[in-house]
């Protein structure tokens, strides 16, 4: 144990000498004085105790580990809020763990005014028996040793011992815990299980985060070097989950495998500098920069708390180092934009907000390497070239986002929202996170802003209000429903909602709620009480009368009522929140511009749903229905003097060029004073094929456009293609050009919105224009050319989705076989092997319930081929009762006992064929049994052992399918024992052949 005594005297001269000495040695920018330097061992735990008389109320102590090179690694800094001297406290304890390479502990004090008097400094090694420092809180109340990072927590007593209570929306993180990779660990008995077990690599960069499954035993990831345990509160609506108490936590290793040797990583000459006390988002920025440089170069970039004396490239992160760039800080104020500046070998990356530093790091990497973050999936999180060194050439730029809020909304149920937010943040987004299940620390740390709110009743009123007249009168009843609108004219509704909003604004103590939204319920039902239905007196003295009790029929009246209520809510809120921005949705009926001026605090998000054609910008709609949205947006801009938002629906089921629509829409939003750009429809990017494999390129471009809508979507698309597909870029560039040309073809009348089926889009933009074959060739070519395995896998997944879309059309190939003209009626002809065969018939229901296995007892296969004038079918109908014999004679009778049915549709005409083993051949056109169908169909019947065979030759001219590419679809079915209890009906797709819905058709595919 090391025992020293050191006192500070209060004389001005002594304090000044100490201060000057400290500034000259440590290079600090505040009143910081070193108390003692004490020898320590690397990766060891210690307890520092000392006595102090507080001088200034602002005094605090700092612990810095100094390595063998005399530098202070950021991981060895303990500069946290809890390390303050208290006026009523004289004895202090701080337990901690040193980082790798530590040699000396520097114990300092920082003060503003009178320095504290420190004495009796003691440092002793400790050996936590459960791996965690202070995991049992034995250091006592107020001592956050081992739990440096926390928010909204307090110490309590549980059964006579100290415990840590996390209050509503609070969180607590343990300090880093060194562990072995790929080893099994177990929580000790009595441990409070965390919400997350976070694994970090040797640079303290978070590996893929996953919620902990609450099992006592787990295996660490192969790349892990450290763990941190994250505790947070959970469901707000359940009182027991609004807080969480940690009584104790410990870990122990439960396998006996030998420790793994850590591979030596070469070190770059450059270094990153980040102040010891920093915002978690700035530390995340540093770890991201460190990580991606290591991935790109294979070399490690040191992260220090203070610059070394080395003559090397130093990258300073955060506004703390940017005082000399006051013009940039002024330009960036009130935004999360960034600036990058160079001064000799020093590079500065900063913003006026911590998120700005994070976004600046990503911009620095993008401008100086070929890295791209194309999608959230961890396997493709980034694509880049490996180079021995990153040469920072572009280091003099700044950027302020066009929109304050840049929201890329992922579907509910996202299994790993932290991964989704990583992608959002890396591409400049700051999507508001929503509270309700505790504080989403991981998403906040990677760039999300703190937000809260929702529907009027759902989030702001609830269903428990005593006065039922707060709720809407619909069809004569006051019904409490989360999705309806409140009574618009009840005098208490705005006050109730404003009071709830105040609770939301203060729901995360110590952090600012940056986004508050109060919006209409997702339906058109509105209050029809007498007061709500009264005419509205407008500012010009005229009356606005209701034309209907329905908001569908009269959106103007009910939109006006809606915003009058919101105005009153805003008036109430600004009394004690003068800078508040109250976001809302100008959605469904509320999208109609109201006849009243909005309160300046209100930020309406214009939502052009659902009749806007997403192929065209909102101000350039081509249809009468779409023109309504053009008119509304112009009217909003001209009549209202508020900030605006835009609720985008730039997603669709198939391949598209939606970013070409989003770009002009966002530019229009910026021109009308928009502060919130939004896009809906981002699915979670899991291991399964998903929509990212179809339109990931558009989602990336849209993310970039939300930062700067003046960018050219075509240029961004080309940048994505080059960075993502690399040597396969030429093929992929042609692939996307063909899709874009088809998308922008004005002669194509297809209207697209977020509900348009993928099948229709594939058919209308790829199949019908004749692009399918070439597009697939390009994907195969790109897959063959790509040398980067990540690029290759992405192309492979896109090809798989392409083929899925093609298969979903249920098309049946009708291959061209020239020899079929002469040999179609020869059952053993080898040319039937060139035909396309259908064999997977499935039973369909009749009066009997279907079994889970729908395989029919009687197997059926049908082969299809053609020449240029005739369509040929070969039917093999298996039946164990069938015997070989003389071929039956064709008759025009309806077949009995067993039959195969073919339904062909050509244009507006339908043709029916029924054939059976008795020679029955029944043919109809348009189901007309009165007028015979004049046709030249030829039929050959055969009787073999265990099956009967029919071959048909159907002239295309009889089907009206001779010009151009025939538009034919087919359905096939079989009915055995139709008049018996043993009746069995099966079809080639498991659906009835008489269901004529367009989505259930199986087109015949005529390839040359």
């Amino acid at each position: 144990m090391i025992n020293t005594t050191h006192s500070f005297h209060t004389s001005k001269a002594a304090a000044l000498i100490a201060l000057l000495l400290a500034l000259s040695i440590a290079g600090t920018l505040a009143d910081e004085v070193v108390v003692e330097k004490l020898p320590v061992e690397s990766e060891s735990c210690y307890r520092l105790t000392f006595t102090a008389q507080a001088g200034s109320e602002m005094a605090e102590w700092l612990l810095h580990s100094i390595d063998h090179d005399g530098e202070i690694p950021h991981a060895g800094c303990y500069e946290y809020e809890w390390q303050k001297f208290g006026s009523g406290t004289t004895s202090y304890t701080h337990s901690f763990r040193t980082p790798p390479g530590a040699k000396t502990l520097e114990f300092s004090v920082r003060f503003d005014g009178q320095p504290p008097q420190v004495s009796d400094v003691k440092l002793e090694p400790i050996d936590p028996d459960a791996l965690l420092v202070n995991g049992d809180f034995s250091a006592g109340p107020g001592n956050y040793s081992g739990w440096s990072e926390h928010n909204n927590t307090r110490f309590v007593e549980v059964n006579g011992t100290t415990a840590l209570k996390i209050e509503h929306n609070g969180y607590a993180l343990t300090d880093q815990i060194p562990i072995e990779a790929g080893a099994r660990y177990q929580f000790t008995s009595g441990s409070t299980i965390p919400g997350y077990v976070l694994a970090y690599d040797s640079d303290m960069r978070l590996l893929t985060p996953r919620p902990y499954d609450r099992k006592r035993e787990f295996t660490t990831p192969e790349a892990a070097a450290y763990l941190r345990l994250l505790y947070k509160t959970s469901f707000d609506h359940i009182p027991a989950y609004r807080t969480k108490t940690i009584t104790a936590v410990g870990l122990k290793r439960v396998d006996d495998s030998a420790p793994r040797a850590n591979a030596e990583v070469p070190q770059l000459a450059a270094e990153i500098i980040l102040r010891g006390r920093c915002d978690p988002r700035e530390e995340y920025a540093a770890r991201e920069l460190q990580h991606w440089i290591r991935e790109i170069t294979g070399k490690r970039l040191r992260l220090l708390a203070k610059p070394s004396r080395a003559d090397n490239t130093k990258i300073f992160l955060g506004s703390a180092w940017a005082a000399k760039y006051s013009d940039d800080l002024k330009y960036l104020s009130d935004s999360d934009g960034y600036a990058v500046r160079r001064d000799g070998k020093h590079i500065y990356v900063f913003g006026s907000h911590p998120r700005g530093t994070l976004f600046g790091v990503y911009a620095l990497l993008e401008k100086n390497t070929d890295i791209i973050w194309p999608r959230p999936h961890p396997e493709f999180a980034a694509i880049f070239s490996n180079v021995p060194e990153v040469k920072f050439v572009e280091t003099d730029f700044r950027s302020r986002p066009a929109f304050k809020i840049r929201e890329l909304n992922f579907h509910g149920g996202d299994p790993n929202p932290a991964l989704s937010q990583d992608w959002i943040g890396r591409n400049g987004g700051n999507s508001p996170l929503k509270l309700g299940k505790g504080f989403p620390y991981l998403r906040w740390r990677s760039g999300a802003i703190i937000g809260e709110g929702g529907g009027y009743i759902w989030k702001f009123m609830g269903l428990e209000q005593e006065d039922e007249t707060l709720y809407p009168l619909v069809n004569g009843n006051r019904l409490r429903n989360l999705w309806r609108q409140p009574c618009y004219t009840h005098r208490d509704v705005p006050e109730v909602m404003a009071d709830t909003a105040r609770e939301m604004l203060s729901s995360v103590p110590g952090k600012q709620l940056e986004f508050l939204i109060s919006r209409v319920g997702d339906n058109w039902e509105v209050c029809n009480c007498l007061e709500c239905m009264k005419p509205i007196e407008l500012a010009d003295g005229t009356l606005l009368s209701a034309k209907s009790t329905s908001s569908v029929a009269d959106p103007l009246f009910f939109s006006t009522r809606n915003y009058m209520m919101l105005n009153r809510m805003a008036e109430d809120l600004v009394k004690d929140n003068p800078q508040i921005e109250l976001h809302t949705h100008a959605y469904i009926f509320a999208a109609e511009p109201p006849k009243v001026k909005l309160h300046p605090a209100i930020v309406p998000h214009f939502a052009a749903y659902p009749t806007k054609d997403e192929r065209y910008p909102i101000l350039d709609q081509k249809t009468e229905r779409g023109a309504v949205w053009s008119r509304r947006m112009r009217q909003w801009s001209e009549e209202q003097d508020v900030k605006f938002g835009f609720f985008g629906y730039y997603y669709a089921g198939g391949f598209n060029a939606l970013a070409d629509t989003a770009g002009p829409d966002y530019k229009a939003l910026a021109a009308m004073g928009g502060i919130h750009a939004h896009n809906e429809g981002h699915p979670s990017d899991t291991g399964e094929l998903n929509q990212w494999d179809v339109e990931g390129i558009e989602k990336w471009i849209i993310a970039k456009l939300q930062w700067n809508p003046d960018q050219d979507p075509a240029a961004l698309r080309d940048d994505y293609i080059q960075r993502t597909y690399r040597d396969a870029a030429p093929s992929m560039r042609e692939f996307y050009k063909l899709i874009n040309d088809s998308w922008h073809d004005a002669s194509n009348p297809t209207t697209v919105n977020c509900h348009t089926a993928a099948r229709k889009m594939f058919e209308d933009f790829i199949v019908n224009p004749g692009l399918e074959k070439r597009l697939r060739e390009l994907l195969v070519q790109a897959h063959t050319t790509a040398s980067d395995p990540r690029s290759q896998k992405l192309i492979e997944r896109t090809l798989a989705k392409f083929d899925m879309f093609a298969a979903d059309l249920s098309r049946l190939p009708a291959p061209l076989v020239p020899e079929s003209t002469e040999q179609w009626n020869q059952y053993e002809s080898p040319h039937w092997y060139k035909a396309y065969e259908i064999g997977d018939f499935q039973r369909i229901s009749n009066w009997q319930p279907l079994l889970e296995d729908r395989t029919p007892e009687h197997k059926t296969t049908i082969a299809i081929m053609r020449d240029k004038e005739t369509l040929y079918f070969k039917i093999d109908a298996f039946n164990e009762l069938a015997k070989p014999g003389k071929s039956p004679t064709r008759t025009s009778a309806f077949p009995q006992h067993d039959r195969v049915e073919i339904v062909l549709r050509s244009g507006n005409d339908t043709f029916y064929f029924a054939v059976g083993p008795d020679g029955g051949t029944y043919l109809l056109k348009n189901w007309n049994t009165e007028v015979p169908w004049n046709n030249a169909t030829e039929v050959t019947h055969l009787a073999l052992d265990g099956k009967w065979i029919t071959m048909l030759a159907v002239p295309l001219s009889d089907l009206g399918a001779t010009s151009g590419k025939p538009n034919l679809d087919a359905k096939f079915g079989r009915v055995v024992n139709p008049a018996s209890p043993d009746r069995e009906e099966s079809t080639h797709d498991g659906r009835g052949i008489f269901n004529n819905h367009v989505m259930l058709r199986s087109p015949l595919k005529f390839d040359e």
Side-chain angles (χ1 to χ4, degrees):
M1 178 172 67
I2 301 168
N3 188 342
T4 66
T5 299
H6 189 98
S7 298
F8 289 109
H9 299 289
T10 58
S11 73
K12 261 187 168 181
L16 181 59
I17 292 170
L19 176 58
L20 292 173
L21 179 63
L23 290 175
S24 64
I25 295 175
T28 56
L29 303 177
D31 295 356
E32 182 177 320
V33 177
V34 175
V35 177
E36 194 70 64
K37 291 187 176 182
L38 307 167
V40 292
E41 297 292 329
S42 171
E43 298 183 90
S44 300
C45 296
Y46 292 89
R47 180 186 296 115
L48 177 73
T49 60
F50 57 92
T51 301
Q53 297 291 333
S56 165
E57 291 183 1
M58 303 300 293
E60 56 189 359
W61 74 88
L62 318 172
L63 303 184
H64 295 156
S65 291
I66 301 175
D67 63 20
H68 290 271
D69 297 323
E71 314 302 347
I72 302 176
H74 194 272
C77 289
Y78 291 90
E79 300 185 20
Y80 294 94
E81 288 292 332
W82 74 274
Q83 297 170 213
K84 294 186 181 300
F85 293 101
S87 58
T89 305
T90 57
S91 297
Y92 296 88
T93 302
H94 192 157
S95 299
F96 62 96
R97 178 179 274 112
T98 59
K103 182 180 179 182
T104 304
L105 174 70
E106 183 181 82
F107 171 36
S108 306
V109 294
R110 183 183 291 157
F111 53 91
D112 181 12
Q114 195 74 5
Q117 295 181 355
V118 179
S119 60
D120 300 326
V121 178
K122 299 177 182 178
L123 182 68
E124 57 182 333
I126 56 175
D127 185 16
D129 58 2
L131 293 181
L132 278 77
V133 172
N134 196 27
D136 58 359
F137 306 107
S138 57
N143 193 314
Y144 282 94
S145 293
W147 299 83
S148 301
E149 195 174 343
H150 54 270
N151 189 60
N152 201 21
T153 62
R154 65 187 178 93
F155 288 96
V156 296
E157 185 176 304
V158 176
N159 297 325
T161 60
T162 302
L164 183 64
K165 184 175 183 179
I166 303 173
E167 300 288 6
H168 181 221
N169 286 329
Y171 62 88
L173 272 161
T174 64
D175 294 349
Q176 59 265 35
I177 308 162
I179 46 87
E180 291 290 335
R184 285 191 298 123
Y185 287 83
Q186 186 182 88
F187 285 99
T188 56
S189 178
S191 288
T192 304
I193 304 300
Y196 284 81
V197 175
L198 303 176
Y200 296 77
D201 65 13
S202 58
D203 284 331
M204 276 303 295
R205 193 254 184 183
L206 180 64
L207 304 176
T208 301
R210 291 183 176 86
Y212 187 55
D213 60 9
R214 303 193 63 78
K215 294 180 180 178
R216 287 191 63 217
E217 191 171 304
F218 62 91
T219 301
T220 57
E222 290 298 323
Y226 300 95
L227 296 180
R228 294 181 80 187
L229 309 180
L230 172 60
Y231 293 85
K232 57 192 274 305
T233 59
S234 187
F235 300 99
D236 282 5
H237 63 285
I238 303 175
Y241 291 95
R242 286 175 64 89
T243 63
K244 187 176 186 67
T245 300
I246 311 168
T247 53
V249 59
L251 284 173
K252 62 180 180 181
R253 188 172 175 182
V254 292
D255 63 5
D256 53 4
S257 58
R260 304 185 186 189
N262 293 324
E264 289 293 327
V265 180
Q267 190 164 284
L268 288 168
E271 62 193 54
I272 303 170
I273 315 299
L274 178 67
R275 289 285 296 271
R277 176 172 294 176
C278 62
D279 187 278
R281 292 163 290 189
E282 291 177 321
E283 182 178 355
Y284 182 67
R287 298 299 180 188
E288 283 281 89
L289 178 59
Q290 190 179 35
H291 170 75
W292 295 116
I293 292 294
R294 179 169 172 172
E295 290 289 295
I296 291 168
T297 65
K299 299 171 185 174
R300 186 170 183 269
L301 195 60
R302 292 184 302 168
L303 176 57
L304 304 177
K306 296 179 181 179
S308 72
R309 294 182 176 85
D311 182 20
N312 60 357
T313 297
K314 299 185 192 312
I315 305 174
F316 293 85
L317 298 186
S319 59
W321 303 101
K324 62 183 177 181
Y325 299 109
S326 57
D327 180 64
D328 287 327
L329 290 170
K330 181 179 179 181
Y331 170 76
L332 298 171
S333 63
D334 300 321
S335 84
D336 51 11
Y338 55 81
V340 175
R341 299 298 183 200
R342 179 188 280 274
D343 182 4
K345 292 185 177 181
H346 294 182
I347 299 170
Y348 298 85
V349 183
F350 58 93
S352 67
H353 189 284
R355 283 194 303 269
T357 301
L358 178 62
F359 298 141
V361 159
Y362 295 132
L364 179 70
L365 286 167
E366 283 184 318
K367 287 180 178 292
N368 291 280
T369 73
D370 64 358
I371 195 169
I372 186 172
W373 295 278
R375 56 191 286 181
H377 195 296
E379 189 175 348
F380 322 110
I383 298 176
F384 48 81
S385 298
N386 291 112
V387 295
E389 181 184 0
V390 174
K391 296 180 179 179
F392 291 104
V393 177
E394 290 196 53
T395 54
D396 189 22
F397 54 89
R398 68 184 184 183
S399 183
R400 181 185 172 101
F403 305 111
K404 180 178 180 179
I405 300 169
R406 305 170 298 283
E407 184 171 4
L408 300 160
N409 194 38
F410 279 69
H411 298 331
D414 186 352
N416 204 333
L419 284 184
S420 303
Q421 177 56 45
D422 279 346
W423 176 81
I424 293 170
R426 288 166 182 159
N427 290 293
N430 60 7
S431 295
L433 53 83
K434 299 295 176 60
L435 302 172
K437 295 182 180 179
F439 184 71
Y441 171 84
L442 294 176
R443 292 166 61 197
W444 169 78
R445 173 218 56 168
S446 53
I449 68 176
I450 305 173
E452 181 61 299
Y456 296 146
I457 297 179
W458 166 39
K459 289 294 287 190
F460 287 85
M461 284 177 50
L463 300 178
E464 308 302 323
Q465 298 290 333
E466 185 175 341
D467 182 358
E468 71 168 10
T469 62
L470 293 166
Y471 301 97
L473 183 72
V474 179
N475 297 325
N477 295 306
R478 295 276 185 182
L479 297 180
R480 300 171 187 256
N481 186 295
L482 292 175
W483 302 106
R484 284 197 168 101
Q485 325 305 335
C487 176
Y488 285 131
T489 55
H490 195 299
R491 66 178 185 179
D492 293 340
V493 165
E495 182 181 344
V496 169
M497 295 202 300
D499 287 344
T500 303
R502 288 185 178 90
E503 293 176 12
M504 293 176 178
L505 290 169
S506 60
S507 61
V508 190
K511 299 191 185 299
Q512 180 187 2
L513 192 84
E514 297 179 73
F515 178 77
L516 177 68
I517 185 166
S518 181
R519 59 175 176 80
V520 296
D522 202 351
N523 67 80
W524 282 259
E525 286 188 332
V526 289
C527 184
N528 292 162
C529 74
L530 291 176
E531 196 66 28
C532 282
M533 296 305 298
K534 281 183 179 179
I536 301 169
E537 184 176 352
L538 302 177
D540 61 3
T542 60
L543 293 178
L544 176 65
S545 298
K547 299 176 182 177
S548 170
T549 58
S550 165
S551 67
V552 177
D554 192 359
L556 176 59
F557 180 82
F558 290 103
S559 175
T560 303
R561 276 277 180 234
N562 173 74
Y563 291 108
M564 289 173 69
M565 179 198 69
L566 265 183
N567 278 345
R568 287 155 55 209
M569 179 184 178
E571 288 167 5
D572 191 324
L573 268 179
V574 297
K575 293 174 184 175
D576 49 356
N577 296 277
Q579 303 303 316
I580 190 74
E581 290 173 347
L582 180 60
H583 293 254
T584 192
H585 284 175
Y587 171 60
I588 49 178
F589 65 90
E592 182 65 35
K595 285 292 187 180
V596 294
K597 284 284 190 180
L598 268 60
H599 190 286
I602 294 175
V603 182
H605 300 177
F606 187 51
Y609 175 88
T611 54
K612 171 179 178 279
D613 185 351
E614 297 296 348
R615 290 178 64 197
Y616 301 97
I618 195 166
L619 297 180
D620 189 27
Q621 291 290 288
K622 306 300 182 184
T623 66
E624 185 176 346
R625 297 179 76 194
V628 170
W629 299 105
S630 303
R631 186 267 299 171
R632 284 176 169 175
M633 188 166 181
R634 288 190 177 95
Q635 196 172 330
W636 272 106
S637 178
E638 293 166 0
E639 296 179 357
Q640 298 293 339
D641 301 317
V642 295
K643 302 168 184 174
F644 288 98
F646 189 87
F647 196 98
Y649 296 91
Y650 307 113
Y651 66 101
F655 292 99
N656 60 71
L658 279 165
D660 291 355
T661 303
D665 285 353
Y666 287 153
K667 285 184 75 171
L669 173 64
M672 61 190 285
I675 66 167
H676 180 279
H678 168 282
N679 189 36
E680 193 79 348
H682 292 71
S684 58
D685 193 6
T686 61
E688 303 298 324
L689 293 178
N690 60 64
Q691 201 57 24
W692 285 90
D693 299 302
V694 177
E695 56 176 0
I697 184 172
E698 301 303 303
K699 295 183 183 303
W700 182 88
I701 298 168
I702 289 169
K704 296 297 185 182
L705 289 170
Q706 286 191 348
W707 186 281
N708 178 9
D710 289 331
Q711 296 176 96
D712 180 6
L716 287 169
R717 190 173 289 111
D718 192 69
D719 192 30
Y720 178 97
I721 292 169
Q722 188 59 52
R723 289 175 185 253
T724 301
Y725 301 116
R726 309 164 72 72
D727 44 6
S731 298
M732 294 305 293
R733 194 172 283 116
E734 183 180 348
F735 174 84
Y736 284 112
K737 183 180 186 306
L738 289 173
I739 287 174
N740 286 17
D741 288 347
S742 181
W743 177 266
H744 292 297
D745 181 0
S747 66
N748 187 333
T750 302
T751 297
V752 175
N753 61 37
C754 60
H755 299 306
T756 306
R759 171 175 175 157
K760 179 172 178 57
M761 293 182 65
F762 191 81
E763 199 164 25
D764 288 1
F765 293 105
I766 292 176
V767 176
N768 293 343
L771 299 175
E772 181 181 10
K773 183 178 180 181
R774 180 55 181 160
L775 288 171
R776 195 180 190 284
E777 287 174 350
L778 287 167
L779 287 175
V780 172
Q781 181 179 309
H783 185 260
T784 302
T785 306
S787 59
D788 189 297
R790 297 160 297 191
S791 305
Q792 192 176 56
K793 185 68 175 178
L794 284 174
I795 298 166
E796 180 182 308
R797 289 170 65 105
T798 300
L799 176 59
K801 283 293 283 187
F802 189 94
D803 287 345
M804 284 176 63
F805 289 152
D808 191 50
L809 295 179
S810 302
R811 291 173 299 176
L812 303 172
L816 178 65
V817 182
E819 297 85 355
S820 62
T821 307
E822 302 295 333
Q823 300 199 24
W824 71 271
N825 57 359
Q826 298 178 32
Y827 178 71
E828 299 294 345
S829 171
H831 296 293
W832 274 113
Y833 290 104
K834 302 174 184 178
Y836 178 76
E837 185 174 280
I838 304 164
D840 54 349
F841 276 53
Q842 299 177 60
R843 292 180 62 191
I844 66 172
S845 61
N846 45 40
W847 60 274
Q848 296 173 314
L850 279 177
L851 300 174
E852 186 174 343
D853 183 2
R854 298 172 62 189
T855 304
E857 180 182 343
H858 301 87
K859 181 181 176 182
T860 309
T861 64
I862 299 178
I864 309 169
M865 64 181 179
R866 67 181 177 90
D867 59 23
K868 290 187 178 294
E869 297 179 351
T870 307
L871 193 58
Y872 302 104
F873 301 96
K874 178 170 70 74
I875 300 168
D876 286 72
F878 295 81
N879 191 322
E880 61 183 13
L881 300 179
K883 302 298 181 184
K886 183 180 177 181
S887 298
T889 302
R890 172 181 176 176
T891 72
S892 60
F894 193 79
Q896 305 296 309
H897 309 300
D898 190 357
R899 68 178 182 269
V900 169
E901 299 170 305
I902 301 175
V903 177
L904 298 178
R905 185 196 59 81
S906 175
N908 295 321
D909 294 320
T910 302
F911 305 89
Y912 175 75
F913 305 76
V915 296
D918 56 4
T921 305
Y922 188 71
L923 310 179
L924 291 177
K925 178 179 179 180
N926 293 329
W927 313 108
N928 193 329
T929 59
E930 302 295 329
V931 179
W933 172 28
N934 185 19
N935 67 87
T937 297
E938 297 181 61
V939 180
T940 297
H941 295 285
L942 298 175
L944 301 180
D945 187 22
K947 64 180 177 180
W948 57 269
I949 290 92
T950 296
M951 291 171 286
L952 298 93
V954 184
L956 290 170
S957 59
D958 287 346
L959 303 174
T962 56
S963 61
K965 287 192 174 182
N967 179 19
L968 278 171
D969 59 61
K971 296 180 180 180
F972 304 95
R974 184 179 180 187
V975 183
V976 184
N977 302 321
S980 154
D982 297 325
R983 172 189 172 96
E984 179 185 84
E985 184 173 0
S986 59
T987 66
H988 80 282
D989 59 4
R991 295 184 285 246
I993 63 171
F994 302 109
N995 190 327
N996 201 37
H997 192 282
V998 65
M999 299 298 288
L1000 302 181
R1001 294 173 180 170
S1002 296
L1004 292 177
K1005 184 180 179 184
F1006 281 50
D1007 283 344
E1008 295 298 327

